[in-house]
Amino acid sequence: MTTAQKLTSQETIALEEKHGAHNYHPLPVVLKRGEGVYVWDIEDKQYYDFLSAYSAVNQGHCHPAIVGAMSKQAETLTLTSRAFHNDMLGKYEAYTTDYFQFDKLLPMNTGAEAVETAIKIARKWAYEKKGVPEHEAQIIVCENNFHGRTTTIISFSNDEGARKNFGPYTPGFIKIPYDDIDALKRALVENKNIAGFLVEPIQGEAGVFTPASDFLMKAKALCKANNTLFIADEIQTGIARTGALLAVCGNCTCKGHCERQETYSRPDILILGKALSGGAYPVSAVLADDDVMNVIKPGQHGSTFGGNPVASAVAMAALNVVKDEKLAQNARVLGELFRSKLNEYITESKIVNLVRGRGLLNAILINDTEDSSTAWDICMALKENGLLAKPTHGNIIRFAPPLVMTEDQLLDCVAIIVKTLKQFEK
Ligand SMILES: *Cc1c(COP(=O)(O)O)cnc(C)c1O
């Protein structure tokens, strides 16, 4: 077997089945090329990508500015480790902290690593700044959260598939219902050792659950009143996906740079990943101000690849594309169009109950039981009709195309989705 050998989709899938661990259940499509909002399979069939690698490819597939920055840096210097300085990291940190308006950035690679980093920073802050007794720090999390796959992170998941038989679990987490401000208040009052509240501004993996419009503002205020860190996991929702630079920006349509706007629930710790690289390279980051970030001293946390020159160059290019091409504005406008078009259809549909979301992070709820195969069957039919999407939690289908989509392309996609759904109306 060489990489040059030509195989069919069937043959490629068979190789994975035989030689790969079975830790995913992908749609049976084998992609070989991507450009902008499109991907192509081995047989040269073209599709709209309506997953965008779980919102990593917000800037579109193989964006020339991002790929250009990556290949230029890859030919120059790829990795030094943090034992030495490299000439890109400082520039990247200066650019990104200015972009999001935080004092400091800690670079990692994957989203889960960044979440782990945020947990470690919050705990250390609790012991050294808040005065929590050793080993007593607690972090409040939400039911149905998704923050990644490490042993500690799955310890506070309530997804049985993600958790079962991976114990013993890491203690130190208190679970409350999502979007329940009273439960948060109770948890903060009942326990004096709370380091932070870790929350997704919209729960993506759970099925695009959007909380009440004032939930984040109130949560942030409660955290502040109780000397607790407000920690936003924006790995999926951040970087223009929901129609603002960050989902915690709320209705604020500036670039996430202001504190003036009353809707901005500024996190004490901001966690980014996925679209931070536009999908070109694994890049994640934790941002915070000095009073929080400075609890980490040399030797206390790190990563061989974190902050490498390729990652630094790629992330700067990826963030620049978001600003340059006004992707947040595009996501906001197209998101409203998408939901209004689908709502028109839903009024006469028996197979779809509702559409929900913000910006271009949306989902439809299929009118069938969670264990039915209807959502999967619809995704298979969408694939036949040239659009790739994936069910989440059985009867929910997430729709999250790259943000570089045009209005004409979006209307084309709506037509494909409506045509496909009609095949399933009884
Ligand atoms: C994808 C995701 C993660 C995990 O990121 P990985 O890069 O897969 O480790 C964490 N939190 C949220 C909200 C995510 O969507």
Side-chain angles (χ1 to χ4, degrees):
M1 186 68 47
T2 68
T3 52
Q5 205 164 326
K6 285 238 185 304
L7 299 177
T8 64
S9 289
Q10 284 305 327
E11 287 165 338
T12 310
I13 290 169
L15 284 181
E16 281 190 28
E17 179 70 18
K18 178 147 194 275
H19 301 287
H22 292 178
N23 58 328
Y24 277 92
H25 180 43
L27 225 64
V29 59
V30 183
L31 303 172
K32 66 162 184 193
R33 190 162 80 80
E35 191 184 318
V37 298
Y38 299 112
V39 286
W40 288 265
D41 71 12
I42 290 190
E43 285 77 22
D44 285 319
K45 183 172 163 70
Q46 177 180 310
Y47 306 90
Y48 283 106
D49 179 359
F50 256 58
L51 185 64
S52 307
Y54 300 96
S55 298
V57 193
N58 287 2
Q59 297 87 337
H61 287 276
C62 297
H63 194 292
I66 301 171
V67 173
M70 182 161 77
S71 33
K72 181 159 165 264
Q73 188 59 45
E75 287 174 1
T76 313
L77 181 68
T78 58
L79 185 61
T80 60
S81 84
R82 298 289 301 277
F84 312 118
H85 295 276
N86 72 66
D87 69 342
M88 294 301 292
L89 177 59
K91 288 182 193 166
Y92 161 56
E93 289 173 334
Y95 180 87
T96 308
T97 52
D98 178 61
Y99 197 97
F100 292 102
Q101 291 289 294
F102 285 89
D103 291 342
K104 285 194 167 56
L105 177 151
L106 195 158
M108 297 298 280
N109 314 283
T110 67
E113 283 178 316
V115 172
E116 288 276 350
T117 302
I119 291 168
K120 286 172 75 177
I121 294 171
R123 285 178 169 184
K124 209 157 187 302
W125 173 87
Y127 298 126
E128 295 174 9
K129 298 283 177 104
K130 183 167 172 169
V132 170
E134 206 182 342
H135 300 309
E136 296 297 324
Q138 301 287 319
I139 291 177
I140 302 174
V141 297
C142 294
E143 283 166 12
N144 303 321
N145 68 72
F146 182 84
H147 296 287
R149 300 291 196 168
T150 64
T151 319
T152 288
I153 293 172
I154 59 101
S155 293
F156 58 84
S157 166
N158 55 293
D159 176 343
E160 269 311 285
R163 246 176 88 85
K164 194 165 183 228
N165 291 341
F166 293 121
Y169 303 112
T170 309
F173 298 94
I174 296 169
K175 219 173 287 150
I176 61 167
Y178 189 62
D179 194 16
D180 187 338
I181 205 71
D182 294 330
L184 177 62
K185 195 173 195 170
R186 274 195 303 277
L188 284 166
V189 170
E190 275 167 18
N191 192 316
K192 288 291 131 201
N193 298 328
I194 308 288
F197 173 46
L198 170 63
V199 65
E200 299 159 86
I202 293 173
Q203 286 191 327
E205 294 309 298
V208 190
F209 282 101
T210 309
S213 60
D214 60 355
F215 173 66
L216 296 169
M217 295 294 304
K218 286 184 171 164
K220 155 83 190 183
L222 278 175
C223 286
K224 193 165 182 198
N226 289 278
N227 192 25
T228 293
L229 301 176
F230 177 60
I231 309 168
D233 179 348
E234 290 252 17
I235 292 168
Q236 186 161 156
T237 52
I239 315 188
R241 170 55 58 187
T242 64
L245 182 58
L246 299 170
V248 288
C249 293
N251 298 324
C252 178
T253 55
C254 80
K255 295 186 188 72
H257 289 184
C258 66
E259 297 237 37
R260 288 172 285 121
Q261 292 285 345
E262 275 150 25
T263 57
Y264 179 36
S265 320
R266 188 175 191 273
D268 299 301
I269 300 181
L270 172 64
I271 309 170
L272 298 174
K274 295 199 168 118
L276 185 53
S277 74
Y281 199 82
V283 186
S284 67
V286 173
L287 290 108
D289 286 341
D290 282 335
D291 58 327
V292 173
M293 193 66 96
N294 287 346
V295 301
I296 301 287
K297 304 269 181 335
Q300 295 175 347
H301 188 60
S303 156
T304 303
F305 280 84
N308 73 71
V310 176
S312 301
V314 164
M316 280 168 83
L319 289 174
N320 200 47
V321 166
V322 170
K323 212 180 267 184
D324 232 36
E325 302 187 13
K326 299 188 167 56
L327 296 186
Q329 291 89 322
N330 199 47
R332 189 171 345 113
V333 172
L334 292 192
E336 270 159 31
L337 181 64
F338 182 77
R339 286 185 299 278
S340 80
K341 289 284 172 194
L342 280 189
N343 271 323
E344 270 171 37
Y345 173 70
I346 288 168
T347 53
E348 49 182 276
S349 169
K350 291 199 174 63
I351 193 73
V352 186
N353 284 339
L354 61 89
V355 59
R356 66 174 170 233
R358 206 189 297 159
L360 280 176
L361 181 60
N362 294 291
I364 56 171
L365 185 59
I366 302 301
N367 184 17
D368 206 336
T369 54
E370 249 191 68
D371 58 0
S372 74
S373 70
T374 310
W376 176 269
D377 297 340
I378 290 172
C379 288
M380 290 294 285
L382 283 168
K383 165 173 122 50
E384 288 313 305
N385 292 332
L387 188 147
L388 296 178
K390 185 108 199 286
T392 177
H393 287 262
N395 59 344
I396 299 168
I397 302 174
R398 171 173 29 196
F399 289 130
L403 311 181
V404 292
M405 185 161 271
T406 64
E407 186 176 320
D408 283 348
Q409 288 169 334
L410 187 88
L411 292 173
D412 193 22
C413 294
V414 168
I416 294 173
I417 292 166
V418 166
K419 177 179 104 177
T420 308
L421 289 171
K422 278 185 177 159
Q423 294 169 220
F424 288 82
E425 300 286 354
K426 305 260 158 29

